[in-house]
Amino acid sequence: MAKKLINVSVNGKAEEKAVEPRTLLIHFLREELNLTGAHIGCETSHCGACTVDIDGQSVKSCTHLAVQCDGSEVLTVEGLANKGVLHAVQEGFYKEHGLQCGFCTPGMLMRAYRFLQENPNPSEEEIRHGMAGNLCRCTGYMNIVKAVQYAAKKLQEPVTA
Amino acid sequence: MIPPRFEYHAPRTISEAVALLGQLGSEAKLLAGGHSLLPMMKLRFAQPEHLIDINRIPELRGIREEGTTVVIGAMTSENELINSPIVQAKVPVLAEAAQMIADPQVRNRGTIGGDIAHGDPGNDHPALSIAIEASFVLEGPKGRRTVPADGFFLGTYMTLLQEDEVMCEIHVPAFAQGTGWAYEKIKRKTGDWATAGCAVVMRKSGDTVTHVRIALTNVAPAALRVEAAEAALLNQPFNATTVQAAADAATAACDPAEDLRGDIEYKTAMAGEMVKRALTKAWALCS
């Protein structure tokens, strides 16, 4: 099977790679680019541990082919911090104890990052519904809700010089 | 997790996609949102040798109005349906029901056309499309044809769609003023397929039902329109007796498969309950 050449921007960096069509995006990110923050928790597209942002949308990268990303902009958890300063969602999960084993966390953060742009001022119910594509074994979700609320508040603070 | 090898094609027009289907034959499958096809390939239930990606065909996208018809591109994602002002105003049941389908990530990729073309009795759009009296525009090598949703679903994973056809658009008559509607779905958890579901579209005059469509999800080999249940209500007063008669007619039509969501008796009873809830909700929205 012929490989296809793709050009994809990952965390702002242009990547040109030849990929086999059947290569799942999650494997491309983890094995080809060594971006091992995104995880694999299932093979039925349920857990969301592989969630990344593609062209402004949360997508489960286990159910997307790398070859389909030709021309796309992909953001992974490694690209969230800006010059070492944590993004509000990272800070929120840290402050509110929104992780324990950390396996779901990269996917949770990438989903929260996009969800708060879709809905900057969500209710608790909207947060739970908006994060419903991401499973967690450790936290029971309570502190994840608080983490997202913390991030929502922080993102709405006026920027001070 | 590991899908078998295949060749990948990414045509830019519908006619290119149709030509590829003709050329590659039954070894080729159309790749839409990929949230049913890739899961099946990752489990090796399906092993097509060619995937024809239709995500880069602009003609398959967009939502517009043509007179009193809402035209929805087959590659419209579930989240686009939810967020569409046209769908919200003209076919509100679609915008609301789409929120009950899968989860946010899946809704960014999964498309209304793919949900319908898959022909899975567990999917929600088949019953919804019957209730809203949708029709589907299919393009094949000989041109286009339009087929109604009612009659499109032949069996589990089987529809009227031919191997060399691409579904291009879903046509839906805009709801008349005062139309009531509901989609009631019982499920084990958010993101799961229905144990049983019921879509209803209804209109009234005074206390009489003047129009009603009732369709069921996941209680038969394919989505089911229950005309006997509709007949129990049409031109009748809406009350506990006629609603129960409709629910009884619906449960009589059920032929569910026993699985981890429940046995035949449970699913059938839940179908009746969803019918009652959906009718009650739809009636309340009629004006």
Side-chain angles (χ1 to χ4, degrees):
Chain A
M1 303 281 158
K3 284 192 172 184
K4 300 266 183 191
L5 196 66
I6 61 167
N7 284 285
V8 52
S9 158
V10 181
N11 300 333
K13 183 169 172 253
E15 303 279 358
E16 186 178 67
K17 296 275 182 189
V19 296
E20 208 187 343
R22 70 159 168 173
T23 302
L24 301 172
L25 177 59
I26 182 66
H27 290 133
F28 174 78
L29 294 171
R30 288 180 52 83
E31 291 169 20
E32 197 73 33
L33 304 183
N34 288 316
L35 294 169
T36 56
H39 290 144
I40 299 171
C42 75
E43 57 178 7
T44 47
S45 313
H46 284 102
C47 77
C50 64
T51 299
V52 298
D53 205 79
I54 306 178
D55 298 328
Q57 294 184 329
S58 307
V59 174
K60 294 179 177 180
S61 62
C62 77
T63 314
H64 199 76
L65 304 168
V67 69
Q68 292 183 282
C69 290
D70 188 27
S72 288
E73 287 195 17
V74 177
L75 184 71
T76 73
V77 72
E78 291 87 348
L80 271 188
N82 183 8
K83 292 174 190 145
V85 179
L86 295 183
H87 186 275
V89 292
Q90 294 172 305
E91 188 181 314
F93 272 67
Y94 164 62
K95 292 280 191 189
E96 297 292 348
H97 220 75
L99 67 147
Q100 189 178 333
C101 84
F103 198 85
C104 77
T105 312
M108 286 283 181
L109 291 172
M110 294 316 297
R111 178 59 197 139
Y113 164 81
R114 180 53 55 188
F115 172 64
L116 288 176
Q117 293 177 54
E118 295 164 356
N119 185 350
N121 195 17
S123 67
E124 175 175 347
E125 192 184 343
E126 286 168 341
I127 292 172
R128 289 180 179 273
H129 191 69
M131 302 293 291
N134 295 73
L135 300 182
C136 173
R137 287 289 191 191
C138 299
T139 64
Y141 303 101
M142 293 289 292
N143 286 352
I144 289 178
V145 171
K146 290 181 193 159
V148 174
Q149 287 168 333
Y150 179 105
K153 203 173 160 196
K154 167 121 190 173
L155 286 167
Q156 287 185 25
E157 281 172 9
V159 181
T160 48
Chain B
M1 184 73 182
I2 310 298
R5 291 189 172 85
F6 56 84
E7 295 281 359
Y8 173 82
H9 312 264
R12 302 302 166 113
T13 64
I14 296 170
S15 51
E16 280 173 49
V18 171
L20 279 166
L21 280 174
Q23 195 183 311
L24 301 168
S26 57
E27 287 307 325
K29 287 287 283 179
L30 295 176
L31 173 64
H35 276 56
S36 300
L37 179 57
L38 293 177
M40 290 179 100
M41 291 176 66
K42 287 163 66 176
L43 297 170
R44 309 261 173 154
F45 291 151
Q47 309 205 15
E49 288 176 14
H50 298 269
L51 284 195
I52 303 169
D53 187 350
I54 53 174
N55 282 278
R56 292 178 191 262
I57 303 179
E59 307 160 79
L60 293 174
R61 297 196 178 270
I63 300 171
R64 63 181 194 278
E65 288 178 86
E66 281 180 9
T68 56
T69 302
V70 177
V71 178
I72 302 169
M75 289 297 287
T76 299
S77 74
E78 300 293 351
N79 276 332
E80 286 166 344
L81 279 183
I82 293 168
N83 295 322
S84 161
I86 294 176
V87 173
Q88 287 167 9
K90 300 298 167 75
V91 202
V93 70
L94 268 188
E96 185 177 287
Q99 299 185 47
M100 301 179 211
I101 297 174
D103 62 50
Q105 288 95 317
V106 175
R107 290 194 292 268
N108 281 330
R109 296 291 308 157
T111 66
I112 180 172
D115 186 285
I116 291 164
H118 192 35
D120 187 329
N123 282 1
D124 298 295
H125 278 296
L128 286 162
S129 64
I130 292 170
I132 61 180
E133 297 175 81
S135 52
F136 310 134
V137 178
L138 315 177
E139 182 168 326
K142 289 180 201 148
R144 290 192 168 195
R145 62 182 179 128
T146 302
V147 296
D150 183 17
F152 184 75
F153 303 99
L154 304 178
T156 303
Y157 304 127
M158 278 166 43
T159 69
L160 282 177
L161 191 68
Q162 296 294 305
E163 261 181 13
D164 56 1
E165 286 179 319
V166 177
M167 184 185 292
C168 304
E169 292 170 350
I170 293 95
H171 288 194
V172 190
F175 280 11
Q177 195 67 36
T179 299
W181 45 270
Y183 188 58
E184 286 293 306
K185 175 178 181 179
I186 182 170
K187 52 191 180 199
R188 300 173 299 179
K189 58 189 170 66
T190 296
D192 194 20
W193 288 271
T195 300
C198 176
V200 164
V201 175
M202 191 191 262
R203 287 193 284 278
K204 76 169 183 181
S205 174
D207 69 343
T208 304
V209 177
T210 57
H211 171 95
V212 61
R213 283 286 179 283
I214 301 174
L216 304 178
T217 294
N218 220 8
V219 286
L224 210 59
R225 178 182 171 192
V226 200
E227 286 168 281
E230 295 169 4
L233 285 160
L234 190 63
N235 301 321
Q236 300 293 318
F238 188 90
N239 57 40
T241 310
T242 52
V243 168
Q244 185 61 49
D248 290 345
T251 53
C254 288
D255 178 20
E258 182 173 328
D259 60 18
L260 291 171
R261 291 188 181 82
D263 59 15
I264 291 166
E265 194 184 357
Y266 175 66
K267 290 184 177 187
T268 304
M270 287 307 104
E273 183 61 27
M274 293 306 108
V275 169
K276 286 197 261 186
R277 291 184 191 183
L279 287 171
T280 305
K281 215 166 160 181
W283 180 256
L285 286 176
C286 285
S287 59

